[in-house]
């Protein structure tokens, strides 16, 4: 009996396993596909096993606001406005990159770095890097990244946060992560199959949205990028025209940001700027993608220039093409003062009389302090006036 019961349990267990495998096979047949694990790489966070130490100062990332994080979906590397830019050459130092790789003590890293980039050897690195162009990611971008572990370049799928500085090749494809020197290549999977993991120093950033990821497809090889049209990171409403291979110092300034016509406005949370100085408030709103206009309101309780209120209110969801109206404290005018009255023993100043219901006379004159108004003509309304008989004639002094 015990043996029979044991066989029964084994059969049940085997049946359960087979059932599970069958369900998995059915799920696959029905279109359920395993997700691709993607490691999140936050702006400014140290790489796990970088090709370069951050202390070398190869590159620096930069914070970008909602106004700049508009690129999502699959994009071509030659698309205007795909990337942002700054003329600060310290964001991505190509000369330091080459200098580091050509040092004898770094020959192992250089060989692996060249291999990943598809070069025939280390001696091709200077010419390859010379043609790369520094840009800044405008959106959270999927790439194939590479760490350096145990003498080898180890590939992993990565999501780079918007604001990370990179070098792109002549087809607009991400080639190097500037802050750590890691070589990059194209993400070979569908955006919808990603499973992004946040760990260690790569905490989930506030602007992360799993539905707003970017994947860059290289431009056709027979149609390389002739000029990069970048959104100016420091002035989001303007642009920069950058020649491939240049460092940004010779950029041509564009009066408007490239790609704005094809980049729809997005709905985001309006920052709460109530109580802040107007300069700071406008900067916060612009970094979130909004324009601002101001109106003044007299206030003796707040410093002039302080935001008393805003429309839409802070915390509301609004399209970035909405202009936020700010009400500013204007202070009181020190040149104005209440009207004075005459001496107690005289009549009231600036007082009119009672109109005659049968007349249409001229208004009576205002009396000086301590006097009553002069006679006017017959009144038309028969009413009283406390401001120099504006509505009809007055019966002058008593």
């Amino acid at each position: 009996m015990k043996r029979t019961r044991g066989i029964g349990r084994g059969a049940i267990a085997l049946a359960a396993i087979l059932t599970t495998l069958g369900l998995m096979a059915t799920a696959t047949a029905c279109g359920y596909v395993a997700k691709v694990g993607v490691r999140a790489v936050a702006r400014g966070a140290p790489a796990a096993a970088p090709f370069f130490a951050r202390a070398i100062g190869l590159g620096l990332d930069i914070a970008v606001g909602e106004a700049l994080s508009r690129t999502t979906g699959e994009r071509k590397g030659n698309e205007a406005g795909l990337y942002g830019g700054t003329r600060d050459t310290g964001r991505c130092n190509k000369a330091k990159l080459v200098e580091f790789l050509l040092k004898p003590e770094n020959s192992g890293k250089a060989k692996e770095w060249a291999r990943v980039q598809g070069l025939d050897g280390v001696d091709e690195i200077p010419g390859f890097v010379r043609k790369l162009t520094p840009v800044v990611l405008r959106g959270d971008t999927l790439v194939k990244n590479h760490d350096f572990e145990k003498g080898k370049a180890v590939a992993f799928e990565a999501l780079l946060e918007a604001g990370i500085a990179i070098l792109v090749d002549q087809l607009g494809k991400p080639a190097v992560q500037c802050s750590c020197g890691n070589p990059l290549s194209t993400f070979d999977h569908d955006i919808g199959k990603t499973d992004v993991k946040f760990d260690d120093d790569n905490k989930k950033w506030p602007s992360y949205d799993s539905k707003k990821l970017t994947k860059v497809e290289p431009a056709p090889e027979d149609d390389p990028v002739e000029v990069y049209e970048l959104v100016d990171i420091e002035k989001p409403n303007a642009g920069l025209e950058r020649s491939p291979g240049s460092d940004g110092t010779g950029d041509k300034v564009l009066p408007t940001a490239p790609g704005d016509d094809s980049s729809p406005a997005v709905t985001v949370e309006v920052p709460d700027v109530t109580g802040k100085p107007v300069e700071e408030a406008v900067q916060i709103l612009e970094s979130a993608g909004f324009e601002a206009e101001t109106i003044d309101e007299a206030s003796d309780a707040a410093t002039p220039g302080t935001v008393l209120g805003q429309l839409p209110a802070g915390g509301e969801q609004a399209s970035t093409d909405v202009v936020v109206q700010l009400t500013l404290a204007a202070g009181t005018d020190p040149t104005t003062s209440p009207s004075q009255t005459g001496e107690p023993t005289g009549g009231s100043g600036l007082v009119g009389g009672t109109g005659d219901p049968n007349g249409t006379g001229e208004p009576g004159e205002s009396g000086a302090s301590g006097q009553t108004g002069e006679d006017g003509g017959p009144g038309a309304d028969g009413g009283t006036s406390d401001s120099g008989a504006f509505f009809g004639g007055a019966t002058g002094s008593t």
Side-chain angles (χ1 to χ4, degrees):
M1 293 293 294
K2 290 183 179 180
R3 185 174 180 179
T4 303
R5 185 179 301 150
I7 294 174
R9 289 176 179 175
I12 293 173
L14 179 60
I17 293 172
L18 292 174
T19 301
T20 301
L21 292 174
L23 290 173
M24 291 175 64
T26 302
T28 302
C30 291
Y32 293 102
V33 181
K35 292 283 188 177
V36 177
V38 175
R39 186 195 308 172
V41 178
R43 184 177 61 237
F51 270 70
F52 306 81
R54 293 182 66 86
I56 296 174
L58 178 64
L60 295 170
D61 301 331
I62 185 171
V64 298
E66 290 288 346
L68 294 165
S69 302
R70 291 185 180 179
T71 58
T72 59
E74 292 191 9
R75 301 298 181 101
K76 287 295 184 183
N78 57 356
E79 182 179 323
L82 171 62
Y83 297 116
T86 170
R87 283 175 284 181
D88 180 2
T89 58
R91 295 290 169 189
C92 219
N93 195 318
K94 295 195 295 182
K96 282 188 177 181
L97 172 60
V98 173
E99 179 185 0
F100 181 88
L101 287 171
L102 295 185
K103 288 183 177 180
E105 61 269 29
N106 298 324
S107 61
K109 288 185 176 181
K111 289 177 182 178
E112 282 296 286
W113 197 93
R115 180 184 64 80
V116 172
Q117 299 290 9
L119 306 180
D120 290 333
V122 174
D123 58 336
E124 291 189 2
I125 289 177
F128 174 78
V129 173
R130 190 179 304 116
K131 297 177 181 179
L132 300 180
T133 308
V135 298
V136 176
L137 296 177
R138 287 188 64 198
D140 297 342
T141 303
L142 294 161
V143 297
K144 179 172 288 185
N145 207 334
H146 298 79
D147 277 338
F148 186 77
E149 299 178 358
K150 298 179 180 179
K152 295 291 183 181
V154 180
F156 65 95
E157 310 299 346
L159 177 70
L160 305 184
E161 184 184 4
I164 287 180
I166 66 170
L167 292 171
V168 294
D169 68 10
Q170 294 166 292
L171 304 180
K173 179 179 70 69
V176 182
Q177 184 180 343
C178 292
S179 62
C180 59
N182 288 5
L184 307 174
S185 54
T186 303
F187 184 78
D188 294 326
H189 308 279
D190 292 339
I191 294 178
K193 296 179 182 178
T194 57
D195 182 18
V196 181
K197 302 294 185 182
F198 294 83
D199 53 27
D200 300 328
D201 293 312
N202 299 292
K203 302 272 190 290
K204 184 179 291 187
W205 45 87
S207 62
Y208 170 74
D209 186 336
S210 61
K211 298 179 181 179
K212 295 181 179 180
L213 307 182
T214 302
K215 173 184 174 181
V216 179
E217 293 286 351
E221 292 188 6
D222 59 353
D223 187 22
V225 180
E226 296 182 359
V227 63
Y228 283 99
E229 295 182 31
L230 311 174
V231 175
D232 191 334
I233 296 297
E234 296 167 345
K235 298 178 180 179
N237 293 324
L240 300 171
E241 195 174 82
R242 179 169 300 173
S243 299
S246 67
D247 62 1
T249 54
D251 287 355
K252 176 183 176 182
V253 177
L254 302 175
T256 58
D260 276 1
D261 291 340
S262 61
S263 297
V266 294
T267 300
V268 298
E269 182 176 314
V270 181
D272 186 357
V273 295
T274 304
K276 298 184 181 297
V278 62
E279 295 84 359
E280 181 182 352
V282 170
Q283 184 177 12
I284 292 172
L285 289 170
E286 287 182 347
S287 69
F290 296 99
E291 293 185 10
E293 63 181 14
T294 61
I295 58 174
D296 293 336
E297 180 178 294
S299 173
D300 56 4
T303 303
T306 301
V307 178
L308 299 177
Q310 65 181 86
L311 189 67
E316 291 186 7
Q317 295 289 320
S319 171
T320 50
D321 57 5
V322 169
V323 177
V324 180
Q325 186 179 81
L326 303 179
T327 302
L328 306 181
T332 55
D333 187 349
T335 61
T336 60
S337 59
S339 301
Q340 298 178 350
T341 58
E343 296 295 327
T345 55
S348 301
L350 304 175
V351 178
T354 304
D356 186 327
N358 299 316
T360 58
E362 298 294 324
E365 297 177 358
S366 298
S369 178
Q371 298 179 341
T372 57
E374 297 293 327
D375 285 336
D381 64 357
T384 60
S385 172
D386 57 354
S387 57
F390 281 113
F391 296 98
T395 62
S397 57
T398 56

